[in-house]
Amino acid sequence: MAGGGFSDDKGGKRAHLYEYKITGYFIFACVVAAMGGSLFGYDLGVSGGVTSMDDFLKEFFPKVYRRKHAHLKETDYCKYDNQILTLFTSSLYFAALVSTFGASHVTRNKGRRASILCGAVSFFLGAILNAFAKNIAMLILGRCLLGVGIGFGNQAVPLYLSEMAPAKVRGAVNQMFQLTTCLGILIANFINYATDKIHPWGWRLSLGLATVPATVMFIGGLFLPETPNSLVEQGKLQEARQVLEKIRGTTKVDAEFADLKDASDAARAIKDPFRNLLKRKNRPQLVIAALGIPAFQQLTGMNSILFYAPVIFQSLGFGSGASLYSSAITSGALVLATFISMAFVDKFGRRAFFLEAGVEMICVLVAVAVTLALKFGEGEELPKGIGIFLVVIICIFVVAYGRSWGPLGWLVPSELFPLETRSAGQSMVVCVNMIFTALIAQCFLVSLCHLKYGIFLLFAGLIFIMSCFIFFLLPETKQVPIEEIYLLWQNHWFWKRYCTPEENEHGLDAKSLPPI
């Protein structure tokens, strides 16, 4: 079987000796760090809403505005097909994928906290530039600065949360990143709903308010502790032990601290972590964590819905206000789904959430495609009942994604990399994620125009492929200490041919682990 795993009391050399309490200091650190997700989420929510606002379109994209209002009673797949308009959205993600490699250097050598602070500053500057933009060039430059902020934040925050968390609750803690992302989307949608009524500068307010989460993240980041893993990696052993004792609420951290030092010794021997990631023994992390999961997360089609929910709903015949309100409903469903995932992911495991939600998402996308094929695209507005049905099943899709590929797309990669390749690996995760995010953002509207309802069938087929990928290649990682995840590969039916105990540089083996 492709799955399986082990619990804290069975795996590895010292895991059964780990002790911890959930302390106030630990909660503070994780809540503040997780604010990095709100930057990503706010931008996801606000950009799609702004691109559907008439005042924004009149100022920067008058051709799209005229096309939108040419036939007020006619719904059309192609109303928003404009590559410069989509470049407004996707330019951020192209900037993010480039900046994440600089973020990797900062994260590895200066710490996770330093990357979080850099991301907050860049995001703040981008928000200011967008709010006062006078032309498309200013818009795109502002989006690039926002992208640099997201590149740094998305590189550091998932690592920070996974390294701070005890193994038994690591899934729930890491998903605080997804929770703040979803809350950012929800808040952005309600802000768009309000600012759409402020003429002619409401869109500027929507974009400018991105400075708020950036400011909160920067001020909070000044008080964040560095993770023990990063401090050990930097050679600050005494400080690392002090932080570890403080976040675990106990002085009995000898076992965990010894594992951190062992991992750090291996990490310091690596001169080029990116090249090390290509080694045979790191093939599972490269294929699953660095390439597969971040690419597939975007190929679910979910971010297309998040980017363009107001645009999609307007194209389907909803009015401007109704479309923003409908997208707020879908983002609310995403928040609900994240709470469900946080509550149960450490109980039922990562694989169960991936696979069950995959089946659900395929069914929903097929239903959307069939409905649109039968009822939409003939120049007539959708009946109200059909419109409500589409909103409901899109919410079902959002809930399925929000408890699976959404949070787990960040959680699982952050768990899989050993310390010596962790910052480089996370940079690859962000880079691949942003490449596919940018491509989907740039191509979705033109694909909607040309493929029509077929675009949803395409996404359904991709979800089937990615579900097979998870079923056969991903072992279960719930409750496995982060520095002992690598032991899972040695008993995996496929990956054991790449990761034999003889190649293990940590001096541990997986003989005591149950078959995977």
Side-chain angles (χ1 to χ4, degrees):
M1 197 64 176
F6 57 91
S7 63
D8 266 6
D9 60 348
K10 294 181 180 180
K13 187 176 180 181
R14 307 183 183 95
H16 64 288
L17 300 175
Y18 288 11
E19 295 187 24
Y20 73 92
K21 300 174 185 175
I22 302 299
T23 65
Y25 187 67
F26 165 75
I27 294 172
F28 164 79
C30 291
V31 169
V32 171
M35 285 298 296
S38 67
L39 306 185
F40 191 30
Y42 187 85
D43 183 80
L44 279 173
V46 82
S47 57
V50 164
T51 53
S52 71
M53 292 183 184
D54 286 349
D55 292 324
F56 177 80
L57 293 175
K58 280 190 287 187
E59 183 156 352
F60 296 104
F61 304 97
K63 289 184 179 180
V64 177
Y65 173 77
R66 288 194 293 271
R67 187 192 307 163
K68 174 183 174 182
H69 289 275
H71 303 91
L72 291 176
K73 295 183 179 179
E74 180 180 334
T75 55
D76 182 15
Y77 284 106
C78 301
K79 281 185 177 181
Y80 293 89
D81 179 19
N82 182 287
Q83 288 300 293
I84 302 299
L85 178 61
T86 51
L87 183 62
F88 166 75
T89 297
S90 61
S91 58
L92 179 148
Y93 303 100
F94 286 118
L97 70 89
V98 173
S99 67
T100 188
F101 292 104
S104 172
H105 177 79
V106 174
T107 301
R108 179 178 171 89
N109 295 289
K110 304 297 181 182
R112 286 54 166 153
R113 176 175 170 269
S115 281
I116 291 172
L117 292 172
C118 289
V121 171
S122 182
F123 197 87
F124 181 91
L125 295 175
I128 292 293
L129 193 57
N130 270 179
F132 292 96
K134 297 297 183 183
N135 51 55
I136 292 177
M138 287 183 70
L139 277 179
I140 300 301
L141 180 58
R143 295 289 292 171
C144 289
L145 286 172
L146 292 172
V148 171
I150 286 177
F152 272 80
N154 287 16
Q155 208 275 346
V157 172
L159 290 186
Y160 187 95
L161 295 174
S162 287
E163 290 180 348
M164 293 290 279
K168 287 188 177 181
V169 295
R170 188 175 62 245
V173 170
N174 184 277
Q175 289 190 44
M176 291 172 67
F177 176 77
Q178 176 72 7
L179 176 62
T180 57
T181 300
C182 297
L183 289 172
I185 295 169
L186 179 63
I187 292 169
N189 276 295
F190 281 114
I191 287 174
N192 283 339
Y193 185 69
T195 58
D196 188 43
K197 299 175 174 60
I198 303 174
H199 304 288
W201 52 271
W203 63 270
R204 294 187 184 275
L205 183 59
S206 285
L207 295 177
L209 284 175
T211 57
V212 175
T215 301
V216 172
M217 182 176 165
F218 179 80
I219 294 174
L222 295 175
F223 299 96
L224 278 180
E226 187 53 81
T227 69
N229 311 62
S230 180
L231 290 170
V232 170
E233 191 176 19
Q234 297 173 58
K236 302 176 181 178
L237 299 183
Q238 184 175 355
E239 184 180 352
R241 177 158 187 132
Q242 290 173 350
V243 172
L244 185 61
E245 291 178 356
K246 199 168 183 180
I247 62 174
R248 295 292 181 256
T250 177
T251 58
K252 299 177 181 179
V253 295
D254 292 338
E256 186 171 1
F257 190 63
D259 277 349
L260 292 183
K261 288 194 293 184
D262 287 348
S264 179
D265 290 340
R268 275 196 290 269
I270 303 301
K271 302 302 181 184
D272 188 343
F274 284 99
R275 181 174 295 179
N276 184 262
L277 190 58
L278 299 176
K279 286 186 176 180
R280 178 182 174 86
K281 70 185 183 70
N282 290 323
R283 197 65 49 80
Q285 295 94 321
L286 176 67
V287 172
I288 296 176
L291 300 176
I293 289 179
F296 284 142
Q297 187 191 46
Q298 301 311 313
L299 294 176
T300 59
M302 179 61 205
N303 270 8
S304 300
I305 293 175
L306 293 180
F307 289 147
Y308 300 116
V311 170
I312 290 171
F313 287 125
Q314 281 197 28
S315 295
L316 298 180
F318 291 78
S320 176
S323 68
L324 289 172
Y325 189 65
S326 298
S327 62
I329 293 175
T330 59
S331 55
L334 195 58
V335 173
L336 173 64
T338 305
F339 279 115
I340 294 172
S341 188
M342 289 177 69
F344 297 109
V345 71
D346 287 313
K347 179 179 180 181
F348 296 114
R350 286 61 161 151
R351 283 168 46 83
F353 274 71
F354 272 129
L355 297 175
E356 181 276 329
V359 173
E360 196 172 328
M361 292 160 71
I362 291 170
C363 293
V364 167
L365 288 173
V366 171
V368 171
V370 170
T371 302
L372 295 181
L374 296 175
K375 297 293 184 180
F376 181 65
E378 301 299 327
E380 297 181 3
E381 192 168 324
L382 282 171
K384 183 178 180 180
I386 298 296
I388 293 174
F389 171 74
L390 286 173
V391 172
V392 170
I393 62 173
I394 285 176
C395 283
I396 293 174
F397 178 88
V398 168
V399 170
Y401 171 90
R403 67 176 185 272
S404 60
W405 281 95
L408 301 185
W410 295 106
L411 165 62
V412 174
S414 72
E415 295 178 320
L416 296 185
F417 296 107
L419 185 61
E420 61 263 28
T421 60
R422 192 166 296 157
S423 61
Q426 187 66 14
S427 284
M428 288 293 295
V429 171
V430 177
C431 180
V432 172
N433 188 288
M434 293 303 159
I435 287 173
F436 280 85
T437 302
L439 290 175
I440 292 294
Q442 191 68 27
C443 298
F444 176 74
L445 290 181
V446 67
S447 299
L448 180 65
C449 177
H450 293 285
L451 296 179
K452 299 181 172 58
Y453 61 85
I455 188 67
F456 298 100
L457 293 177
L458 174 62
F459 284 132
L462 290 170
I463 293 173
F464 174 77
I465 293 172
M466 63 185 73
S467 296
C468 293
F469 176 86
I470 293 297
F471 181 80
F472 290 111
L473 297 182
L474 180 69
E476 182 55 67
T477 59
K478 69 173 182 178
Q479 299 188 4
V480 181
I482 193 168
E483 302 303 349
E484 297 178 2
I485 290 287
Y486 70 93
L487 294 173
L488 291 172
W489 312 119
Q490 296 176 13
N491 271 356
H492 190 274
W493 73 276
F494 179 78
W495 296 120
K496 64 184 178 182
R497 70 191 69 181
Y498 297 97
C499 308
T500 60
E502 290 74 19
E503 293 178 330
N504 173 23
E505 298 176 7
H506 295 266
L508 302 179
D509 60 49
K511 294 179 180 179
S512 62
L513 307 187
I516 297 174

